[in-house]
Protein backbone atom coordinates (compact mmCIF):
# COMPACT_ATOMS: atom_id res chain seq x y z
CA UNK A 1 0.00 0.00 0.00
CA UNK A 2 1.48 3.35 -1.02
CA UNK A 3 0.40 6.95 -0.70
CA UNK A 4 -0.72 6.71 -4.34
CA UNK A 5 -3.09 3.76 -3.72
CA UNK A 6 -6.77 4.62 -4.14
CA UNK A 7 -8.39 6.22 -1.10
CA UNK A 8 -10.59 3.14 -0.57
CA UNK A 9 -7.61 0.75 -0.48
CA UNK A 10 -5.75 2.83 2.08
CA UNK A 11 -8.86 3.30 4.16
CA UNK A 12 -9.74 -0.41 4.13
CA UNK A 13 -6.19 -1.40 5.11
CA UNK A 14 -6.43 1.03 8.03
CA UNK A 15 -9.89 -0.28 8.96
CA UNK A 16 -8.63 -3.86 9.09
CA UNK A 17 -6.22 -2.81 11.83
CA UNK A 18 -8.24 -0.19 13.69
CA UNK A 19 -11.93 -0.94 13.28
CA UNK A 20 -14.08 -0.18 16.31
CA UNK A 21 -15.73 -3.10 18.03
CA UNK A 22 -19.39 -2.03 18.16
CA UNK A 23 -22.33 -4.09 19.39
CA UNK A 24 -24.11 -3.99 16.01
CA UNK A 25 -21.08 -4.91 13.93
CA UNK A 26 -20.49 -8.41 12.60
CA UNK A 27 -17.09 -10.06 13.06
CA UNK A 28 -14.52 -9.24 10.32
CA UNK A 29 -15.34 -10.93 7.03
CA UNK A 30 -18.96 -11.70 7.94
CA UNK A 31 -21.98 -10.01 6.44
CA UNK A 32 -23.97 -7.99 9.00
CA UNK A 33 -27.57 -8.74 9.97
CA UNK A 34 -29.78 -6.10 8.22
CA UNK A 35 -32.04 -5.87 11.28
CA UNK A 36 -29.10 -4.90 13.49
CA UNK A 37 -27.72 -2.45 10.93
CA UNK A 38 -31.11 -0.82 10.50
CA UNK A 39 -31.81 -0.61 14.25
CA UNK A 40 -28.39 0.85 15.02
CA UNK A 41 -28.58 3.40 12.22
CA UNK A 42 -32.00 4.64 13.35
CA UNK A 43 -30.71 4.97 16.92
CA UNK A 44 -27.50 6.69 15.83
CA UNK A 45 -29.42 9.35 13.91
CA UNK A 46 -30.04 11.17 17.13
CA UNK A 47 -27.38 10.12 19.57
CA UNK A 48 -23.77 9.11 20.02
CA UNK A 49 -22.36 5.60 19.92
CA UNK A 50 -21.88 5.36 23.74
CA UNK A 51 -25.46 6.57 24.32
CA UNK A 52 -27.00 4.29 21.69
CA UNK A 53 -25.13 1.11 22.65
CA UNK A 54 -27.14 0.22 25.81
CA UNK A 55 -30.41 0.91 24.01
CA UNK A 56 -29.30 -1.26 21.11
CA UNK A 57 -28.35 -4.14 23.42
CA UNK A 58 -31.65 -3.89 25.29
CA UNK A 59 -33.67 -3.89 22.05
CA UNK A 60 -31.95 -6.90 20.47
CA UNK A 61 -32.10 -8.85 23.70
CA UNK A 62 -35.81 -8.22 24.04
CA UNK A 63 -36.68 -8.34 20.32
CA UNK A 64 -33.92 -10.41 18.65
CA UNK A 65 -35.50 -10.45 15.17
CA UNK A 66 -37.44 -7.89 13.17
CA UNK A 67 -40.55 -10.10 13.47
CA UNK A 68 -40.27 -9.93 17.27
CA UNK A 69 -40.17 -6.15 17.15
CA UNK A 70 -43.06 -6.10 14.67
CA UNK A 71 -45.17 -8.11 17.13
CA UNK A 72 -44.24 -5.93 20.12
CA UNK A 73 -46.72 -3.80 21.96
CA UNK A 74 -46.45 -0.14 20.87
CA UNK A 75 -46.31 1.16 24.45
CA UNK A 76 -43.52 -1.27 25.35
CA UNK A 77 -41.41 -0.07 22.41
CA UNK A 78 -42.08 3.59 23.18
CA UNK A 79 -41.11 3.00 26.83
CA UNK A 80 -37.92 1.19 25.77
CA UNK A 81 -37.08 4.10 23.45
CA UNK A 82 -37.78 6.78 26.08
CA UNK A 83 -34.71 8.93 26.62
CA UNK A 84 -33.39 8.54 23.07
CA UNK A 85 -35.49 11.48 21.84
CA UNK A 86 -37.13 12.15 18.46
CA UNK A 87 -40.05 9.88 19.20
CA UNK A 88 -41.44 10.03 15.66
CA UNK A 89 -38.50 7.75 14.86
CA UNK A 90 -39.64 5.17 17.40
CA UNK A 91 -43.09 5.13 15.83
CA UNK A 92 -41.55 4.79 12.39
CA UNK A 93 -39.29 2.06 13.74
CA UNK A 94 -42.36 0.01 14.61
CA UNK A 95 -44.09 0.84 11.33
CA UNK A 96 -41.00 -0.24 9.45
CA UNK A 97 -40.63 -3.50 11.43
CA UNK A 98 -44.28 -4.27 10.75
CA UNK A 99 -43.90 -3.49 7.04
CA UNK A 100 -40.85 -5.78 6.79
CA UNK A 101 -42.73 -8.55 8.63
CA UNK A 102 -46.00 -8.18 6.72
CA UNK A 103 -44.89 -7.18 3.25
CA UNK A 104 -41.45 -8.74 2.92
CA UNK A 105 -41.79 -11.99 4.85
CA UNK A 106 -39.55 -10.74 7.66
CA UNK A 107 -36.57 -10.05 5.35
CA UNK A 108 -35.30 -6.57 4.65
CA UNK A 109 -35.23 -5.75 0.93
CA UNK A 110 -31.68 -5.78 -0.42
CA UNK A 111 -31.59 -2.72 -2.71
CA UNK A 112 -31.31 0.94 -1.85
CA UNK A 113 -34.47 1.86 -3.76
CA UNK A 114 -36.64 -0.82 -2.09
CA UNK A 115 -35.21 0.07 1.32
CA UNK A 116 -36.13 3.71 0.70
CA UNK A 117 -39.79 2.70 0.44
CA UNK A 118 -39.80 1.52 4.08
CA UNK A 119 -41.25 3.89 6.71
CA UNK A 120 -38.65 6.09 8.37
CA UNK A 121 -35.81 4.91 6.10
CA UNK A 122 -34.13 7.87 4.41
CA UNK A 123 -31.29 8.06 1.93
CA UNK A 124 -28.56 7.63 4.53
CA UNK A 125 -30.10 4.59 6.25
CA UNK A 126 -31.01 2.91 2.96
CA UNK A 127 -27.45 3.31 1.68
CA UNK A 128 -25.98 2.09 4.98
CA UNK A 129 -28.12 -1.07 5.04
CA UNK A 130 -27.53 -1.76 1.33
CA UNK A 131 -23.77 -1.41 1.74
CA UNK A 132 -23.18 -2.96 5.17
CA UNK A 133 -25.76 -5.77 5.15
CA UNK A 134 -25.96 -6.57 1.44
CA UNK A 135 -22.58 -5.55 0.02
CA UNK A 136 -24.05 -3.06 -2.47
CA UNK A 137 -21.73 -0.25 -3.59
CA UNK A 138 -24.01 2.43 -2.15
CA UNK A 139 -22.53 5.75 -1.09
CA UNK A 140 -23.26 6.43 2.56
CA UNK A 141 -23.16 10.15 3.35
CA UNK A 142 -23.72 11.59 6.81
CA UNK A 143 -22.11 14.48 8.66
CA UNK A 144 -18.92 12.48 9.27
CA UNK A 145 -18.52 11.60 5.61
CA UNK A 146 -19.28 15.16 4.53
CA UNK A 147 -16.52 16.39 6.80
CA UNK A 148 -13.93 13.88 5.56
CA UNK A 149 -14.78 14.52 1.90
CA UNK A 150 -14.84 18.31 2.31
CA UNK A 151 -11.31 18.06 3.72
CA UNK A 152 -9.94 15.52 1.28
CA UNK A 153 -11.00 17.73 -1.64
CA UNK A 154 -10.69 21.08 0.21
CA UNK A 155 -14.30 22.03 -0.60
CA UNK A 156 -14.73 25.55 0.77
CA UNK A 157 -18.37 26.08 -0.22
CA UNK A 158 -20.38 26.13 3.04
CA UNK A 159 -22.98 23.56 4.10
CA UNK A 160 -25.82 23.01 3.47
CA UNK A 161 -25.24 24.38 -0.07
CA UNK A 162 -22.25 22.07 -0.57
CA UNK A 163 -24.21 18.87 0.11
CA UNK A 164 -24.71 17.88 -3.52
CA UNK A 165 -21.04 18.49 -4.34
CA UNK A 166 -19.89 16.47 -1.34
CA UNK A 167 -22.24 13.60 -2.21
CA UNK A 168 -20.94 13.54 -5.79
CA UNK A 169 -17.32 13.54 -4.59
CA UNK A 170 -18.06 10.86 -1.99
CA UNK A 171 -19.54 8.66 -4.73
CA UNK A 172 -16.29 8.89 -6.71
CA UNK A 173 -14.46 7.26 -3.77
CA UNK A 174 -16.89 4.37 -3.05
CA UNK A 175 -15.26 1.09 -4.12
CA UNK A 176 -17.06 -1.84 -5.76
CA UNK A 177 -15.25 -4.23 -3.38
CA UNK A 178 -16.12 -4.30 0.34
CA UNK A 179 -18.46 -1.27 0.18
CA UNK A 180 -19.90 -2.12 3.62
CA UNK A 181 -16.48 -2.14 5.28
CA UNK A 182 -15.60 1.02 3.37
CA UNK A 183 -18.74 2.80 4.68
CA UNK A 184 -17.91 1.75 8.24
CA UNK A 185 -14.27 2.74 7.77
CA UNK A 186 -15.41 6.24 6.76
CA UNK A 187 -17.61 6.40 9.87
CA UNK A 188 -14.69 5.32 12.06
CA UNK A 189 -12.29 7.76 10.43
CA UNK A 190 -14.76 10.62 10.86
CA UNK A 191 -15.48 9.83 14.48
CA UNK A 192 -11.95 9.03 15.68
CA UNK A 193 -9.40 10.69 13.38
CA UNK A 194 -10.93 13.30 11.10
CA UNK A 195 -12.81 14.84 14.00
CA UNK A 196 -14.67 18.18 13.80
CA UNK A 197 -12.09 19.97 15.91
CA UNK A 198 -8.39 19.16 15.88
CA UNK A 199 -8.32 16.41 13.23
CA UNK A 200 -5.56 13.92 13.99
CA UNK A 201 -3.90 14.13 10.58
CA UNK A 202 -0.70 12.48 11.88
CA UNK A 203 -2.66 9.24 12.34
CA UNK A 204 -4.71 9.49 9.17
CA UNK A 205 -4.29 6.89 6.41
CA UNK A 206 -5.46 9.47 3.85
CA UNK A 207 -3.14 12.28 4.93
CA UNK A 208 -0.87 12.01 1.88
CA UNK A 209 -3.66 12.93 -0.53
CA UNK A 210 -5.62 15.33 1.65
CA UNK A 211 -5.99 18.75 0.00
CA UNK A 212 -7.19 20.55 3.13
CA UNK A 213 -4.25 19.28 5.13
CA UNK A 214 -1.84 20.38 2.44
CA UNK A 215 -3.44 23.82 2.40
CA UNK A 216 -3.51 24.05 6.21
CA UNK A 217 -7.29 24.61 6.32
CA UNK A 218 -8.51 21.21 7.56
CA UNK A 219 -9.81 22.39 10.92
CA UNK A 220 -12.02 25.07 9.33
CA UNK A 221 -13.79 22.62 7.00
CA UNK A 222 -16.54 21.98 6.26
CA UNK A 223 -17.64 25.59 6.42
CA UNK A 224 -21.17 26.15 7.62
CA UNK A 225 -23.64 28.90 6.75
CA UNK A 226 -24.63 30.77 9.96
CA UNK A 227 -27.71 29.33 11.66
CA UNK A 228 -30.70 31.33 12.76
CA UNK A 229 -31.01 31.48 16.55
CA UNK A 230 -33.47 29.04 18.07
CA UNK A 231 -36.58 30.69 19.47
CA UNK A 232 -37.69 30.06 23.08
CA UNK A 233 -41.23 28.84 23.72
CA UNK A 234 -42.84 29.01 27.14
CA UNK A 235 -45.57 26.91 28.67
CA UNK A 236 -46.97 25.38 31.84
CA UNK A 237 -46.99 21.77 33.06
CA UNK A 238 -49.62 20.58 35.56
CA UNK A 239 -48.55 18.16 38.29
CA UNK A 240 -51.78 16.77 39.71
CA UNK A 241 -51.82 14.14 42.47
CA UNK A 242 -54.89 12.20 43.65
CA UNK A 243 -55.46 11.03 47.24
CA UNK A 244 -53.85 7.64 46.44
CA UNK A 245 -50.60 9.37 45.46
CA UNK A 246 -50.96 8.81 41.71
CA UNK A 247 -50.12 11.49 39.16
CA UNK A 248 -52.24 12.44 36.15
CA UNK A 249 -50.66 11.72 32.76
CA UNK A 250 -52.02 12.27 29.31
CA UNK A 251 -51.24 10.69 25.94
CA UNK A 252 -50.11 13.13 23.26
CA UNK A 253 -51.64 13.03 19.79
CA UNK A 254 -50.06 10.45 17.48
CA UNK A 255 -48.79 13.03 15.03
CA UNK A 256 -46.51 15.96 15.81
CA UNK A 257 -43.78 16.55 18.34
CA UNK A 258 -43.41 13.73 20.90
CA UNK A 259 -46.38 12.04 19.18
CA UNK A 260 -47.92 9.13 21.05
CA UNK A 261 -45.80 9.70 24.17
CA UNK A 262 -47.18 10.11 27.67
CA UNK A 263 -46.83 13.55 29.25
CA UNK A 264 -47.54 15.53 32.35
CA UNK A 265 -50.45 17.65 30.99
CA UNK A 266 -49.04 20.89 29.65
CA UNK A 267 -50.25 23.97 27.84
CA UNK A 268 -49.02 27.05 26.08
CA UNK A 269 -46.12 25.76 23.98
CA UNK A 270 -47.61 23.06 21.80
CA UNK A 271 -51.41 22.97 22.18
CA UNK A 272 -52.99 21.14 25.14
CA UNK A 273 -55.45 22.16 27.85
CA UNK A 274 -55.05 22.41 31.61
CA UNK A 275 -56.77 19.86 33.88
CA UNK A 276 -59.86 21.53 35.44
CA UNK A 277 -58.68 21.21 39.04
CA UNK A 278 -58.47 23.99 41.63
CA UNK A 279 -55.86 25.05 44.20
CA UNK A 280 -52.92 25.22 41.80
CA UNK A 281 -49.70 26.67 43.13
CA UNK A 282 -46.69 27.56 41.06
CA UNK A 283 -43.50 25.68 41.99
CA UNK A 284 -40.29 27.69 42.23
CA UNK A 285 -37.90 27.63 39.26
CA UNK A 286 -38.59 26.28 35.79
CA UNK A 287 -37.81 23.29 33.60
CA UNK A 288 -35.67 23.97 30.54
CA UNK A 289 -35.26 21.71 27.56
CA UNK A 290 -33.94 22.16 24.04
CA UNK A 291 -35.55 20.52 21.04
CA UNK A 292 -34.01 20.57 17.58
CA UNK A 293 -35.82 23.77 16.59
CA UNK A 294 -36.56 25.62 19.81
CA UNK A 295 -35.79 26.01 23.50
CA UNK A 296 -38.63 25.29 25.90
CA UNK A 297 -39.15 26.78 29.33
CA UNK A 298 -41.93 25.24 31.43
CA UNK A 299 -43.26 26.54 34.73
CA UNK A 300 -44.76 23.76 36.83
CA UNK A 301 -48.08 24.11 38.68
CA UNK A 302 -48.97 21.58 41.36
CA UNK A 303 -52.31 20.65 42.97
CA UNK A 304 -54.04 17.77 44.72
CA UNK A 305 -57.51 16.53 43.80
CA UNK A 306 -60.31 15.40 46.09
CA UNK A 307 -61.41 11.75 46.05
CA UNK A 308 -64.37 12.46 43.76
CA UNK A 309 -62.45 14.42 41.09
CA UNK A 310 -62.61 12.84 37.64
CA UNK A 311 -60.11 13.60 34.87
CA UNK A 312 -61.78 14.57 31.59
CA UNK A 313 -58.74 13.30 29.77
CA UNK A 314 -55.76 11.23 30.88
CA UNK A 315 -54.92 8.42 33.28
CA UNK A 316 -53.46 8.03 36.77
CA UNK A 317 -50.09 6.43 37.38
CA UNK A 318 -48.71 5.66 40.87
CA UNK A 319 -45.53 7.62 41.50
CA UNK A 320 -43.46 4.47 41.94
CA UNK A 321 -44.54 3.22 38.49
CA UNK A 322 -43.71 6.36 36.53
CA UNK A 323 -40.47 4.76 35.35
CA UNK A 324 -42.48 2.25 33.27
CA UNK A 325 -44.11 5.01 31.23
CA UNK A 326 -42.87 6.20 27.84
CA UNK A 327 -42.12 9.66 29.16
CA UNK A 328 -39.91 11.82 26.93
CA UNK A 329 -36.85 13.48 28.45
CA UNK A 330 -38.53 16.87 28.88
CA UNK A 331 -41.32 15.25 30.92
CA UNK A 332 -38.84 13.32 33.04
CA UNK A 333 -37.34 16.68 33.89
CA UNK A 334 -40.81 17.94 34.87
CA UNK A 335 -41.24 14.89 37.14
CA UNK A 336 -37.88 15.50 38.83
CA UNK A 337 -38.68 19.17 39.25
CA UNK A 338 -42.11 18.45 40.74
CA UNK A 339 -40.79 15.78 43.12
CA UNK A 340 -38.09 18.19 44.30
CA UNK A 341 -40.39 21.17 44.86
CA UNK A 342 -44.02 20.05 45.33
FE1 LIG B 1 -9.02 14.57 7.89
FE2 LIG B 1 -6.48 15.27 8.38
FE3 LIG B 1 -7.07 12.90 7.30
FE4 LIG B 1 -7.36 15.13 5.89
S1 LIG B 1 -5.46 14.29 6.70
S2 LIG B 1 -8.80 13.42 5.98
S3 LIG B 1 -8.05 16.52 7.46
S4 LIG B 1 -7.62 13.61 9.37
Amino acid sequence: MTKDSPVADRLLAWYDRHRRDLPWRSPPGERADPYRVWLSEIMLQQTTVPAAAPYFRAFVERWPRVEDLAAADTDAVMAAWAGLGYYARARNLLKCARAVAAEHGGRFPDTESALLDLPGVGAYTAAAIAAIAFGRPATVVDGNVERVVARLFAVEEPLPGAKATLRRLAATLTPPQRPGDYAQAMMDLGSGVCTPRKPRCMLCPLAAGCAARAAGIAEGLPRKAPKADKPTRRGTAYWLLNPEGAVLLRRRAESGLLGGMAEIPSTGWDGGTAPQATGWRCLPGAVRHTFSHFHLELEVMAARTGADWRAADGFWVPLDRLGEQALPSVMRKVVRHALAHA
Side-chain angles (χ1 to χ4, degrees):
M1 194 72 44
T2 72
K3 69 183 181 53
D4 298 321
S5 302
V7 163
D9 291 356
R10 280 180 281 149
L11 195 55
L12 284 166
W14 171 83
Y15 181 69
D16 289 339
R17 289 195 308 277
H18 299 289
R19 54 178 269 152
R20 286 179 293 175
D21 192 13
L22 301 175
W24 41 84
R25 281 195 176 160
S26 58
E30 281 182 30
R31 192 60 66 74
D33 174 355
Y35 171 57
R36 295 169 76 92
V37 177
W38 163 75
L39 184 60
S40 65
E41 291 300 341
I42 301 286
M43 288 180 170
L44 288 168
Q45 283 169 17
Q46 63 246 6
T47 189
T48 58
V49 165
Y55 282 89
F56 177 84
R57 288 197 190 91
F59 265 67
V60 292
E61 188 172 318
R62 193 160 170 192
W63 301 295
R65 299 168 315 147
V66 68
E67 293 100 319
D68 303 320
L69 186 59
D73 181 60
T74 302
D75 286 345
V77 174
M78 298 305 276
W81 188 271
L84 267 178
Y86 294 92
Y87 298 95
R89 290 200 186 132
R91 289 199 311 280
N92 275 331
L93 188 85
L94 258 182
K95 271 195 215 156
C96 182
R98 287 171 183 162
V100 171
E103 294 159 28
H104 298 275
R107 300 168 74 92
F108 277 83
D110 65 358
T111 63
E112 236 179 311
S113 60
L115 286 160
L116 267 175
D117 284 340
L118 294 172
V121 173
Y124 171 79
T125 309
I129 300 171
I132 299 170
F134 297 113
R136 304 257 180 204
T139 301
V140 182
V141 183
D142 67 352
N144 277 330
V145 177
E146 284 177 345
R147 182 170 60 256
V148 174
V149 172
R151 289 173 175 172
L152 281 177
F153 293 91
V155 174
E156 297 199 51
E157 180 189 356
L159 284 168
K163 274 185 179 291
T165 305
L166 295 175
R167 169 169 288 280
R168 183 176 53 73
L169 291 170
T172 65
L173 302 177
T174 305
Q177 310 299 333
R178 301 181 62 194
D181 282 347
Y182 172 80
Q184 295 175 96
M186 271 292 209
M187 295 172 190
D188 285 10
L189 189 81
S191 85
V193 177
C194 195
T195 46
R197 266 169 276 167
K198 300 207 185 313
R200 302 160 78 199
C201 302
M202 298 289 283
L203 304 177
C204 180
L206 309 182
C210 178
R213 181 181 189 235
I217 56 172
E219 197 163 344
L221 298 184
R223 301 204 197 292
K224 296 200 175 126
K227 274 195 192 147
D229 280 348
K230 286 185 192 183
T232 297
R233 295 192 200 167
R234 292 187 173 78
T236 305
Y238 297 89
W239 178 258
L240 190 60
L241 289 177
N242 71 10
E244 283 83 48
V247 64
L248 183 70
L249 296 189
R250 188 161 65 186
R251 177 91 44 214
R252 293 180 61 82
E254 281 300 321
S255 59
L257 189 66
L258 310 179
M261 306 293 287
E263 70 164 358
I264 309 297
S266 65
T267 62
W269 62 282
D270 191 36
T273 51
Q276 294 302 308
T278 54
W280 292 109
R281 67 191 175 89
C282 186
L283 302 183
V287 171
R288 291 183 183 79
H289 190 77
T290 295
F291 292 98
S292 54
H293 298 303
F294 64 95
H295 303 291
L296 176 63
E297 204 173 290
L298 286 174
E299 66 172 0
V300 181
M301 307 287 280
R304 290 180 178 270
T305 66
D308 53 354
W309 191 86
R310 292 280 167 274
D313 171 21
F315 52 99
W316 296 102
V317 176
L319 282 180
D320 59 1
R321 305 201 61 173
L322 271 178
E324 298 164 21
Q325 294 295 315
L327 279 176
S329 301
V330 59
M331 291 300 158
R332 292 187 188 276
K333 288 185 187 173
V334 171
V335 170
R336 284 198 294 274
H337 188 81
L339 290 175
H341 296 97

